Amino acid sequence: MAWKRISDAVIRRLPLYLRVLEEVKSKQSSISSQELGSKAGVTPALVRKDLAWFGEFGKQGVGYDVEFLQDELRKILHLDAPIHMALVGVGSLGRALTRYNRRRFRDDPIFTINLVALFDADPKVVGTTFDGVSIHHITDISRVVAKMDIQMAIVTVPADAAQEVGNLLAEAGVKAILNFAPVSIDLPSDVHVANADLSLELQRLAYYIHG
Amino acid sequence: MAWKRISDAVIRRLPLYLRVLEEVKSKQSSISSQELGSKAGVTPALVRKDLAWFGEFGKQGVGYDVEFLQDELRKILHLDAPIHMALVGVGSLGRALTRYNRRRFRDDPIFTINLVALFDADPKVVGTTFDGVSIHHITDISRVVAKMDIQMAIVTVPADAAQEVGNLLAEAGVKAILNFAPVSIDLPSDVHVANADLSLELQRLAYYIHG
């Protein structure tokens, strides 16, 4: 884990670079930090600084080799092999995200994150399937995560269930959680919880309404 | 607009501070940067640095006055008055986000962002309502935005429609857009577009799967 100390802000930009590389791949074999930056919405200097964390990818005057850089970024982000993901909380947001993710995984050849298990606490939905994915009871998280080799999870449960669900996922060994519940989840520091709370995002965005 | 140059990373943390203040409000009248930081997941030094951008809010040895700081942060984020928002693209994600936002606005007294108009291009849904909100045709964006004083928008349209919808919103005067479409939208620099693309978020999160 040589990358451990790299800041989240750097990691946050890598998928943007990956997307730009995918867009230009069919048209060109190399790309400058100027072009990569401009298409990703950051300065060329920041592109060079971000990528320098991981090695010497560019050549002076030539730029980056598109396919090579794409392969390297995929490895860094663990996107060079399929990743199994779970979603906990099959309400309306959970169902929409399930459909979205399934479609993305099916249609986009470079998108490797596959939603393979759903969890809920409601006996009316447990045992059924949604969009082809089985819904298990949350008390089965540990067993199903181990059996299906699940490494990531999306949490879309109500606020008062989020911490409990976070604990169950962490105990099961899940290290990366995207939390849509409108509360923070406290977990051991080796578990990365990203907040995707829409209300926080909107409140932040309100800052800009006067242009 | 004295705050113009303040970085997005600072703004991103303000709603987190607001949430912490709301949580402690009934129990205490002041809060230290230690406690505020610890509850928001940042260092006390960063709390002090973030808030110093906007004025002298704290008192040495006493900390911040909870209600005063809450009022100030609300003003900075324009959350001291209701904000009207639109959503464009009433598919499954759009519907889930509509329900989520409507419920949040109804149940949470401090959440002031109200979804008041929906837009879609499908003649089968235009003219109907969803969750009590009218669905208009996207060609009516300019008229409805002006009439209803809409200042923010969520975009949940397919990739190939995102730029056109972004243009229509920008022309109508919307300055803050939360974009869920899996492509970037290029707009004049006075329009703030936040990317909420779930696939980017998941790809970023995959970095952490090995803990």
Side-chain angles (χ1 to χ4, degrees), chain A residues 68 97 103 164:
Chain A
F68 175 71
L97 295 179
R103 209 167 299 162
E164 185 202 346

Side-chain angles (χ1 to χ4, degrees), chain A:
Chain A
M1 293 286 99
W3 327 131
K4 258 279 147 119
R5 74 230 145 88
I6 293 168
S7 92
D8 200 47
V10 175
I11 303 304
R12 191 175 281 278
R13 288 186 288 270
L14 302 185
L16 280 172
Y17 300 151
L18 254 190
R19 175 188 284 177
V20 172
L21 295 170
E22 184 61 25
E23 278 168 16
V24 303
K25 195 169 76 171
S26 61
K27 288 165 286 182
Q28 63 197 72
S29 62
S30 69
I31 189 167
S32 65
S33 52
Q34 273 79 5
E35 187 181 357
L36 182 47
S38 142
K39 292 203 153 99
V42 304
T43 65
L46 192 56
V47 170
R48 290 192 294 269
K49 211 172 142 201
D50 283 349
L51 297 179
W53 283 101
F54 306 98
E56 267 297 339
F57 297 138
K59 281 197 197 111
Q60 200 91 43
V62 181
Y64 302 98
D65 182 281
V66 171
E67 285 202 31
F68 175 71
L69 185 55
Q70 207 178 22
D71 285 348
E72 291 299 310
L73 289 179
R74 283 219 196 98
K75 275 182 223 159
I76 291 164
L77 291 169
H78 306 120
L79 299 172
D80 50 339
I83 293 174
H84 289 176
M85 183 170 68
L87 180 144
V88 190
V90 195
S92 61
L93 184 61
R95 283 193 295 266
L97 295 179
T98 299
R99 258 201 224 105
Y100 176 96
N101 189 85
R102 298 282 288 172
R103 209 167 299 162
R104 176 55 74 92
F105 180 76
R106 196 188 57 207
D107 298 343
D108 182 344
I110 69 156
F111 189 78
T112 54
I113 302 169
N114 190 12
L115 184 50
V116 296
L118 299 171
F119 295 94
D120 205 286
D122 181 353
K124 282 200 290 290
V125 300
V126 169
T128 67
T129 66
F130 177 77
D131 207 23
V133 188
S134 294
I135 306 176
H136 309 271
H137 196 273
I138 54 165
T139 52
D140 277 336
I141 284 178
S142 172
R143 189 180 59 77
V144 176
V145 162
K147 194 180 151 207
M148 302 189 80
D149 192 24
I150 288 166
Q151 298 181 289
M152 289 174 64
I154 296 178
V155 172
T156 45
V157 299
D160 58 6
Q163 183 62 50
E164 185 202 346
V165 163
N167 293 345
L168 290 168
L169 289 167
E171 281 158 23
V174 173
K175 300 290 184 212
I177 295 173
L178 184 56
N179 174 33
F180 281 87
V183 285
S184 31
I185 303 181
D186 284 325
L187 291 176
S189 62
D190 66 331
V191 182
H192 188 89
V193 182
N195 250 313
D197 179 354
L198 180 72
S199 57
L200 285 182
E201 192 68 28
L202 292 174
Q203 289 180 322
R204 172 178 91 71
L205 203 60
Y207 175 75
Y208 301 95
I209 59 177
H210 296 307

